[in-house]
Amino acid sequence: MLRKLGFLTIGLFDEADPRLGHESTLEIIELGERLGFDSAWLRHRHLQFGISSPVAVLAAAGQRTSRIELGTAVIPLGWENPLRLAEDLATVDLLSGGRLNPGISVGPPMQFDRVKDALYPDTADAEDFSFTRVERFLSAVRGEPVTSFAGFDGFEQFSDRVQPHAAGLASRLWYGGGSLRSARWAGEHGMNFLTSSVVKAEESEDFEQIQLSHIREFRAHHPDGDKARVSQGLVVIPTDSATPQQVAKYRQYAEKRTPRTLTPQGPARMMFAPDIVGTSAEIAERLNGHAAFREIDEVAFALPFTFEHDDYVQILTDMATSLGPALGWSPAAAR
């Protein structure tokens, strides 16, 4: 049975009026809380027309909500200084009352050859985008020393660890992975694991079996074993209360994206999960037959990128009132 229901949004905006798009995202998160969702997650986009600073947006969301957990899926650490990010996340976590669930990933930034001179003008060739960068971040969040000095320098007092320190935040850190290697690493380092609609075709070309192998690899190497937290992110679009025009748009959206789900894509052999469009009963039947879904009890369903605000309201409402209950979930207020 589904225990935790969340949703994920990219937070698109119009370059001519970016505030409107950001306000729409905040309104969607507020709606999610009213509907009883357990969590709301933001994607991360740089030099595009989606949220580039999810930490700042979640700081605002934390002041406009009181219960719903707030996550990132995911912050690519290649764009960040691990120590500075740890400070920002700890601050937002404290202000939200301990509701932050930061998801991160590692690797070179997207379009790195085009952006490296602006991002790292002096150190691009020396930057380490390996798991070591994540280890630096984990150390900072966990409150381990980041400098050899603590005490007074004149009248000013200094700490040897990141301040503020948010107790409990380290247990809510997630790693977004799409390979056996990343799943194993996340488990070995005691993180939670985000598995999305994109995985690497390593030993199979069956998406469900690939995702299942990642979940099991993660838990096999995690101290908590089968109790280690995994959240699955798929694109599901319930149509129970949708208008005929919305249904047609949703199906057209999914059909355009279907060809990429049939075979591995690109040199990295990435496999994409098909979007699932239908009534809540139809989607629940599909998910209950999904090999990886049967292994987890929490999800962060991804909202499609290009829809309108009213579409997201309809989709979230159907998720909370129809799809979630069909999967055995109940809204937070009903527990």
Side-chain angles (χ1 to χ4, degrees):
M1 295 179 65
L2 188 63
R3 183 173 59 89
K4 288 196 171 188
L5 176 63
F7 65 91
L8 167 65
T9 180
I10 194 173
L12 288 180
F13 58 84
D14 186 334
E15 184 179 18
D17 188 5
R19 184 177 186 275
L20 182 62
H22 285 75
E23 280 292 330
S24 173
T25 296
L26 291 171
E27 290 172 11
I28 288 297
I29 294 173
E30 290 179 281
L31 172 65
E33 175 160 281
R34 292 196 300 273
L35 290 170
F37 277 86
D38 296 287
S39 60
W41 302 73
L42 299 184
R43 287 191 185 274
H44 201 290
R45 288 293 184 269
H46 288 293
L47 303 179
Q48 295 179 270
F49 305 106
I51 291 171
S52 61
S53 183
V55 181
V57 175
L58 291 181
Q63 301 306 297
R64 291 166 63 157
T65 57
S66 61
R67 177 198 54 79
I68 194 168
E69 295 186 353
L70 305 167
T72 61
V74 291
I75 297 173
L77 276 187
W79 286 84
E80 307 287 343
N81 178 291
L83 190 153
R84 277 290 301 116
L85 180 63
E87 291 178 327
D88 287 346
L89 292 172
T91 302
V92 175
D93 187 53
L94 290 170
L95 291 173
S96 72
R99 290 186 282 139
L100 204 59
N101 281 256
I104 54 95
S105 67
V106 79
M110 186 182 296
Q111 305 281 334
F112 187 54
D113 286 342
R114 297 176 180 175
V115 74
K116 64 181 181 181
D117 290 339
L119 186 60
Y120 298 114
D122 302 314
T123 62
D125 294 335
E127 291 292 333
D128 184 354
F129 299 124
S130 71
F131 286 126
T132 301
R133 201 178 190 91
V134 190
E135 291 172 352
R136 290 168 52 201
F137 171 73
L138 292 177
S139 177
V141 173
R142 289 169 176 166
E144 297 169 8
V146 296
T147 176
S148 59
F149 174 71
F152 284 87
D153 185 352
F155 292 104
E156 297 193 48
Q157 185 176 6
F158 292 86
S159 171
D160 62 355
R161 67 175 185 170
V162 163
Q163 297 295 343
H165 175 68
L169 179 59
S171 67
R172 287 178 267 112
L173 296 177
W174 298 74
Y175 190 84
S179 68
L180 283 168
R181 179 171 175 259
S182 60
R184 184 183 313 116
W185 189 93
E188 291 171 345
H189 288 77
M191 300 185 72
N192 305 306
F193 189 57
L194 291 167
T195 177
S196 72
S197 57
V198 187
V199 297
K200 185 176 290 187
E202 297 170 301
E203 300 177 345
S204 169
E205 293 185 6
D206 182 317
F207 180 92
E208 293 183 24
Q209 291 303 317
I210 296 169
Q211 194 170 61
L212 176 63
S213 71
H214 294 173
I215 294 170
R216 290 180 172 174
E217 183 76 4
F218 165 72
R219 285 177 166 159
H221 291 84
H222 195 286
D224 294 339
D226 290 343
K227 294 182 179 179
R229 292 181 68 185
V230 178
S231 181
Q232 183 190 45
L234 299 174
V235 178
V236 301
I237 310 175
T239 59
D240 303 80
S241 65
T243 66
Q245 293 79 12
Q246 285 175 315
V247 173
K249 176 169 66 173
Y250 300 165
R251 294 197 182 282
Q252 184 180 38
Y253 174 87
E255 288 169 4
K256 286 183 178 179
R257 287 158 49 96
T258 296
R260 69 176 188 163
T261 70
L262 303 177
T263 58
Q265 302 293 301
R269 290 178 53 80
M270 304 307 293
M271 288 291 298
F272 292 81
D275 304 334
I276 307 176
V277 182
T279 65
S280 290
E282 292 168 338
I283 295 173
E285 183 177 7
R286 287 275 300 275
L287 290 175
N288 285 326
H290 193 292
F293 180 81
R294 292 199 300 266
E295 294 280 314
I296 54 92
D297 63 0
E298 51 187 300
V299 297
F301 289 138
L303 296 176
F305 289 174
T306 58
F307 290 1
E308 302 298 323
H309 183 88
D310 289 347
D311 299 329
Y312 296 139
V313 170
Q314 175 265 310
I315 292 170
L316 286 182
T317 301
D318 282 357
M319 280 185 185
T321 60
S322 298
L323 178 57
L327 295 170
W329 173 84
S330 58
R335 293 176 213 157

